[in-house]
Amino acid sequence: MATGRTHRPATRSRGIPEATVARLPLYLRALTALSERSVPTVSSEELAAAAGVNSAKLRKDFSYLGSYGTRGVGYDVEYLVYQISRELGLTQDWPVVIVGIGNLGAALANYGGFASRGFRVAALIDADPAMAGKPVAGMAVRHTDELEKIIDDNGVSIGVIATPAGAAQQVCDRLVAAGVTSILNFAPTVLSVPDGVDVRKVDLSIELQILAFHEQRKAGEGAVDGESPAEGAVGVEGPAAKVTKPAAQSAEKNRKGPDGDVPAVMPA
Amino acid sequence: MATGRTHRPATRSRGIPEATVARLPLYLRALTALSERSVPTVSSEELAAAAGVNSAKLRKDFSYLGSYGTRGVGYDVEYLVYQISRELGLTQDWPVVIVGIGNLGAALANYGGFASRGFRVAALIDADPAMAGKPVAGMAVRHTDELEKIIDDNGVSIGVIATPAGAAQQVCDRLVAAGVTSILNFAPTVLSVPDGVDVRKVDLSIELQILAFHEQRKAGEGAVDGESPAEGAVGVEGPAAKVTKPAAQSAEKNRKGPDGDVPAVMPA
DNA sequence: CCTTGTGAAGGCGTTCACAGCT
DNA sequence: AGCTGTGAACGCCTTCACAAGG
């Protein structure tokens, strides 16, 4: 339909699993910290603890990259830093543009973590003429009119969208038309892009909502009505964990609206 | 060990799968948009398109919540908005504190998506005495010394950490000690927390690194050496897709460092 | 007809546990 | 003896495809 969603049926690629790719930056960060402390080698156990994953997973992840460890010893920190950097494509320089220089865009522009890892902010772009020329993070903001030229001149292939939701799709289209093939989207919108363009989304309020879900469960602890007094503890990093807690409506699973209207008050 | 990681062996909870919980906010947003346009009902197909997922997944997700649709018709928008809101715990008010009012913290404080969904920013907290009292997002910044009191007075159970990496664990410990049980962490650090505390992480630079990985693959298109000319296109939303592209070192999988040293230059 | 709700199948990712090197 | 690398088992999530119900 309207959206340009793809599907790519797995492609059996001789490649690295997506879940592994998503963890490589984590390992890299932990390794960089070790490197700065001049630690020469680490075991999978130590590195896993530093990265916040379990060691079996880490070893499996590394096994997709090749055999970079030494049995009985561990991994050479510097060597691994390089291998992971190379795998992620961080040994080359990636010019990026940030579009939408509001609070968030400015925060991103100032964020050290970008520049430190092969990413170079080629330009800050905003639609507000009043912003044009103003310095943000030591850089003059450029106007949206120049977007295509900036991308072309700098060979930008990665764009960051930090505009309001309403402008995001339009900006996205222009970025794509100008040659950008990877987009990091901070606007709360579903972007549609043609095949070949990669979109990742960071949504601040979604994360909070997920927390609220779990928080809600913690609150109703053994209150509602018994099932088992069991657990109720969480304690996780990434995808967060499950919680016990009988859902207030679990006993009778199926039931349409008790009265069909749209409630206006909170549940007791 | 040092870290407070847990494991919770699945708990067979009569609950909603984590993957589903993570998508509920997406559905909610799409539904809210429909609601504002006074659309009375949607089919799973339409709603799925608006949320950027496929319809089978959406129906399966909703089936965990109960039978809220009407066969042959679809879902009642208003009713579904309420049900999902309730499930996520958004029908109640969640006071949150934001700690670390730098660029990012200020951006978060100004972010409309928070306030609009049951989240209320109870306080902005910063360690810099010079910041104390300064207005950000129409609110006077409070000093870290007051952290415990603020949390206690407002019954805050959700905290947002937007401090530099070095301060994050310390802030986290204080938040937890003061009674916070859910933390959204923007600092690039692995936080360790006791059981029962939920941590979610948002890492700006990790997302970019994942994009760079895929971007790198696109660049080396059919260059290296043939396998199948096949695809090479991506085009995804969340977890990003796979790409074909024969890895430059795939033929001979295992091989230690070609010469053992730590390379200082980029690969040709 | 229509669209939901859901068993069943399949795929992916994680974890286990041990074989294989150093 | 120690730690990596990995086949195999397991569990979660997604997808399919159709029965159930409007």
Side-chain angles (χ1 to χ4, degrees), chain A residues 190, chain B residues 24-37 42 46-52 77 81 117:
Chain A
V190 176
Chain B
L24 291 181
L26 236 56
Y27 302 143
L28 184 55
R29 175 170 295 152
L31 284 164
T32 303
L34 291 171
S35 173
E36 280 163 8
R37 291 196 285 130
V42 266
E46 296 165 329
L47 183 53
V77 171
V81 163
R117 289 248 159 279

Side-chain angles (χ1 to χ4, degrees), chain A residues 115-266:
Chain A
S116 73
R117 289 248 159 282
F119 298 101
R120 180 170 49 82
V121 178
L124 308 177
I125 303 176
D126 199 280
D128 183 357
M131 284 291 292
K134 281 180 66 175
V136 170
M139 212 165 198
V141 173
R142 313 276 293 269
H143 188 264
T144 316
D145 290 345
E146 302 180 86
L147 188 144
E148 286 77 9
K149 177 170 166 47
I150 293 168
I151 289 172
D152 201 53
D153 288 353
N154 293 276
V156 173
S157 56
I158 300 179
V160 177
I161 297 179
T163 65
Q169 182 64 58
Q170 194 179 351
V171 166
C172 174
D173 292 344
R174 286 182 65 181
L175 287 173
V176 170
V180 165
T181 46
S182 287
I183 291 175
L184 182 52
N185 179 30
F186 285 89
T189 324
V190 176
L191 294 179
S192 71
V193 293
D195 276 21
V197 176
D198 209 348
V199 176
R200 292 193 68 88
K201 191 179 165 179
V202 174
D203 194 310
L204 312 174
S205 84
I206 283 183
E207 298 299 325
L208 264 194
Q209 291 176 52
I210 296 171
L211 281 178
F213 172 85
H214 293 296
E215 193 60 40
Q216 183 185 36
R217 306 250 144 162
K218 291 179 202 165
E221 191 67 1
V224 186
D225 122 53
E227 181 170 353
S228 72
E231 14 224 334
V234 193
V236 182
E237 275 290 289
K242 253 117 256 179
V243 184
T244 310
K245 183 48 211 358
Q249 45 111 215
S250 65
E252 201 191 0
K253 178 86 171 306
N254 287 7
R255 60 98 196 262
K256 286 290 298 201
D259 41 54
D261 66 356
V262 181
V265 292
M266 310 180 189

Side-chain angles (χ1 to χ4, degrees), chain B:
Chain B
M1 261 111 272
T3 53
R5 213 124 297 95
T6 326
H7 262 316
R8 200 101 354 264
T11 317
R12 186 187 73 285
S13 65
R14 193 11 324 106
I16 299 166
E18 190 56 32
T20 295
V21 172
R23 280 187 295 266
L24 291 181
L26 236 56
Y27 302 143
L28 184 55
R29 175 170 295 152
L31 284 164
T32 303
L34 291 171
S35 173
E36 280 163 8
R37 291 196 285 130
S38 301
V39 177
T41 58
V42 266
S43 67
S44 61
E45 201 70 52
E46 296 165 329
L47 183 53
V53 304
N54 86 43
S55 64
K57 195 185 290 186
L58 177 143
R59 287 200 302 277
K60 179 66 99 179
D61 284 341
F62 286 178
S63 79
Y64 294 117
L65 309 183
S67 290
Y68 293 147
T70 306
R71 295 173 202 239
V73 178
Y75 300 92
D76 182 281
V77 171
E78 296 300 326
Y79 184 62
L80 202 46
V81 163
Y82 171 73
Q83 290 300 343
I84 295 179
S85 294
R86 190 176 52 78
E87 198 65 59
L88 284 171
L90 304 180
T91 49
Q92 55 191 284
D93 184 71
W94 294 104
V96 304
V97 292
I98 300 175
V99 186
I101 313 302
N103 281 293
L104 180 58
L108 294 171
N110 280 293
Y111 182 52
F114 281 19
S116 74
R117 289 248 159 279
F119 299 101
R120 180 170 49 82
V121 178
L124 307 177
I125 303 176
D126 199 280
D128 182 358
M131 284 291 291
K134 282 180 65 175
V136 171
M139 210 166 199
V141 174
R142 315 274 294 268
H143 188 262
T144 316
D145 290 346
E146 302 180 85
L147 187 145
E148 285 79 8
K149 177 170 166 44
I150 293 168
I151 288 172
D152 201 52
D153 288 354
N154 293 276
V156 173
S157 55
I158 300 179
V160 177
I161 297 179
T163 65
Q169 182 63 58
Q170 195 180 350
V171 166
C172 174
D173 292 345
R174 285 183 65 182
L175 287 172
V176 170
V180 166
T181 47
S182 287
I183 291 175
L184 182 53
N185 180 30
F186 286 89
T189 324
V190 176
L191 293 178
S192 71
V193 293
D195 275 20
V197 176
D198 210 348
V199 176
R200 292 192 68 88
K201 191 177 165 179
V202 175
D203 195 310
L204 313 175
S205 83
I206 283 182
E207 298 300 324
L208 265 195
Q209 290 175 53
I210 296 170
L211 281 179
F213 172 84
H214 293 296
E215 193 59 41
Q216 183 185 36
R217 307 249 144 162
K218 292 178 201 165
E221 192 67 4
V224 187
D225 122 53
E227 180 170 353
S228 71
E231 12 225 332
V234 195
V236 182
E237 274 292 287
K242 255 117 256 179
V243 183
T244 310
K245 179 51 207 0
Q249 44 113 218
S250 65
E252 202 190 1
K253 179 85 172 307
N254 286 8
R255 60 98 196 262
K256 286 290 297 201
D259 39 53
D261 66 356
V262 180
V265 291
M266 310 180 188

